Amino acid sequence: MWVEETKSGKYKYVEQYTDYLTGKKKRVSVTMSKNTAATRRTATETLLRMIEERQSTPKKTEDLTLSDLVSKYLNYQELTVKPSTYRRNFYQCSSLIKLLGADVLISRLTANYINECFVRSGKASGTLNEHRTRLLALLRWGYENDYVEDAALIEKIKPFKDQTHREKIQDKYLEQQELGKLISAMKIKKWQLLTRFLALSGLRIGEAIALNVADIDFSERVIHINKTFDANNKIVNTPKTLCSIRDIYLQPELEAICKEIIQYTRLEGLCCGYRTNLFISDKKGSYINLFSYDKYLRKNSIKIIGRPITAHTLRHTHASLLLANGVNIETIARRLGHENSSITKEIYLHVTEKLTQKDNEQLHEVQII
């Protein structure tokens, strides 16, 4: 460190250092009013702190904690993914920190330690597998960005098998009679209309909430799907994937419910004093509250059919009813807006097995000769 006296009579304390990445010489300086032993000590401490802040030297991987890696990962995510995706990943990473410990060193992590922490949490296998998925994504990102030296750990972290309760495929959709029973018992007209619409269209709930009246093209007999509503961040986004941008056919039943919803929204607008371009809205003409609908749907489904369902269950119900009516799985996949769905395939197999069983039962009673 050296000292330079300025024209104003003050003293500039200067230090030189070599940047880690560029190899170039750089300077930092701080100006003080005096040149005494005390100010020199203060200047030295300040300059060292400034060099540390400006120096590009990355933290050694052996010193990197889980909290450090999560922080870097989320900073990157915030710049590269949708707000809804960032929010989901933020909470998943927070759960990982609670499960594994903020200060655990990434270089010391082992599959055994991770499994023990996960199992000790007492969480359901499905939840643990969600945590596992995020942990693998975090470690893989860390490896690709030189924060994790060895990717071998990723291959060792295996999925958790559900040994206590495996969700039945039947619970992922409603039978036709169950759907009819549920709809008939729903007392709030708007939620009943929305339930019918979701079951007849197969739309994701966010896609339905984001619809404008103009998206319902009665002349071409299609609904244009080109946006989705993010309920957590209360914004309209582009759809989940490119395949989600699609036109779905307005079959007669769906056309009728669309007209009924548009009429209902207009009448409610006249009564409540609002005007809206939305296909379905709240009583202020804005986007409906997804969480209110989900709460109502859950409460009524438990009461009426004996188990809780969500809006997404209605999407699977749509797929199952189309399958049962002979529509092929490729057509259904295009209508739902995805290239591949393991759930749809599971439902397809289950419905096919049920139809085969029904056919066999009918044939069993037939006497031909």
Side-chain angles (χ1 to χ4, degrees):
M1 181 183 73
W2 67 91
V3 184
E4 299 173 356
E5 188 172 357
T6 67
K7 292 180 180 180
S8 62
K10 293 186 178 181
Y11 298 90
K12 181 189 286 186
Y13 294 82
V14 187
E15 186 62 273
Q16 183 172 271
Y17 69 97
T18 302
D19 182 77
Y20 173 79
L21 289 180
T22 66
K24 294 181 178 180
K25 297 290 184 181
K26 294 186 178 181
R27 289 184 178 185
V28 288
S29 63
V30 61
T31 302
M32 313 285 278
S33 58
K34 297 179 181 180
N35 183 15
T36 64
T39 54
R40 283 195 292 272
R41 282 195 300 271
T42 302
T44 299
E45 292 174 0
T46 303
L47 292 173
L48 288 173
R49 187 166 60 250
M50 291 172 68
I51 291 172
E52 186 177 352
E53 290 173 355
R54 297 184 186 188
Q55 180 62 281
S56 304
T57 308
K59 193 169 187 177
K60 294 181 180 179
T61 54
E62 60 265 26
D63 298 330
L64 196 73
T65 66
L66 178 61
S67 180
D68 292 331
L69 184 60
V70 164
S71 179
K72 294 177 184 297
Y73 174 69
L74 291 176
N75 286 339
Y76 175 79
Q77 288 266 300
E78 195 168 17
L79 298 172
T80 57
V81 301
K82 292 181 179 180
S84 56
T85 303
Y86 173 81
R87 183 186 178 93
R88 179 198 66 199
N89 293 345
F90 174 86
Y91 287 116
Q92 281 286 350
C93 286
S94 297
S95 296
L96 288 176
I97 288 174
K98 290 179 182 177
L99 283 169
L100 303 176
D103 297 328
V104 64
L105 296 174
I106 295 297
S107 60
R108 304 287 179 86
L109 273 178
T110 64
N112 182 56
Y113 174 78
I114 292 167
N115 285 328
E116 283 189 359
C117 289
F118 275 35
V119 172
R120 203 181 302 123
S121 72
K123 294 185 178 184
S125 294
T127 303
L128 292 179
N129 282 327
E130 290 177 9
H131 294 331
R132 171 187 173 271
T133 298
R134 188 50 40 201
L135 177 61
L136 294 183
L138 174 68
L139 293 175
R140 195 172 289 111
W141 179 87
Y143 178 71
E144 291 169 355
N145 288 274
D146 297 322
Y147 295 119
V148 176
E149 289 187 353
D150 188 0
L153 176 63
I154 295 172
E155 300 300 322
K156 296 180 180 180
I157 307 171
K158 302 301 181 183
F160 290 86
K161 292 183 179 180
D162 192 346
Q163 297 177 340
T164 56
H165 170 73
R166 178 173 290 278
E167 184 181 16
K168 295 179 181 178
I169 189 65
Q170 298 99 306
D171 292 341
K172 296 183 179 180
Y173 68 93
L174 301 180
E175 298 287 356
Q176 189 170 18
Q177 59 269 30
E178 289 180 315
L179 178 62
K181 189 177 178 182
L182 176 65
I183 290 172
S184 298
M186 297 177 83
K187 304 300 181 184
I188 298 180
K189 182 67 174 179
K190 181 180 293 185
W191 294 155
Q192 186 205 69
L193 290 171
L194 179 57
T195 301
R196 288 165 59 195
F197 175 75
L198 293 173
L200 288 169
S201 67
L203 264 64
R204 299 178 179 93
I205 183 63
E207 294 171 339
I209 293 174
L211 283 175
N212 294 321
V213 174
D215 295 321
I216 317 297
D217 191 338
F218 291 107
S219 61
E220 295 294 328
R221 300 185 66 85
V222 294
I223 300 177
H224 303 296
I225 311 299
N226 50 36
K227 52 190 173 295
T228 187
F229 182 71
D230 177 354
N232 288 315
N233 296 289
K234 298 183 179 178
I235 57 173
V236 174
N237 261 323
T238 53
K240 187 176 180 181
T241 64
L242 284 176
C243 291
S244 298
I245 300 174
R246 65 201 188 279
D247 289 344
I248 70 164
Y249 176 67
L250 273 173
Q251 73 272 27
E253 274 187 305
L254 180 56
E255 182 179 12
I257 191 63
C258 285
K259 290 178 178 178
E260 194 172 346
I261 289 175
I262 290 171
Q263 179 75 0
Y264 178 90
T265 302
R266 286 174 178 168
L267 288 174
E268 187 182 65
L270 289 173
C271 294
C272 298
Y274 71 78
R275 296 181 68 179
T276 183
N277 294 321
L278 292 174
F279 173 60
I280 189 168
S281 70
D282 65 11
K283 291 187 176 181
K284 294 181 180 179
S286 188
Y287 298 103
I288 63 169
N289 189 318
L290 165 61
F291 305 106
S292 294
Y293 174 62
D294 260 342
K295 183 179 179 181
Y296 180 82
L297 189 61
R298 178 183 177 85
K299 180 180 178 182
N300 277 267
S301 59
I302 292 173
K303 180 180 177 182
I304 297 161
I305 61 173
R307 69 179 190 276
I309 69 165
T310 66
H312 208 73
T313 308
L314 299 172
R315 180 169 159 85
H316 295 321
T317 297
H318 179 72
S320 73
L321 294 178
L322 291 183
L323 288 166
N325 280 278
V327 181
N328 67 65
I329 194 166
E330 289 80 14
T331 300
I332 295 170
R334 286 194 296 272
R335 185 173 173 89
L336 294 179
H338 49 56
E339 294 176 327
N340 177 51
S341 170
S342 58
I343 298 295
T344 303
K345 288 180 179 178
E346 284 184 66
I347 292 173
Y348 173 76
L349 291 172
H350 185 73
V351 170
T352 302
E353 287 173 4
K354 285 173 59 181
L355 292 175
T356 301
Q357 183 180 356
K358 186 177 180 181
D359 291 343
N360 291 342
E361 287 173 356
Q362 290 179 327
L363 289 169
H364 184 72
E365 302 301 324
V366 174
Q367 288 186 332
I368 296 177
I369 299 178

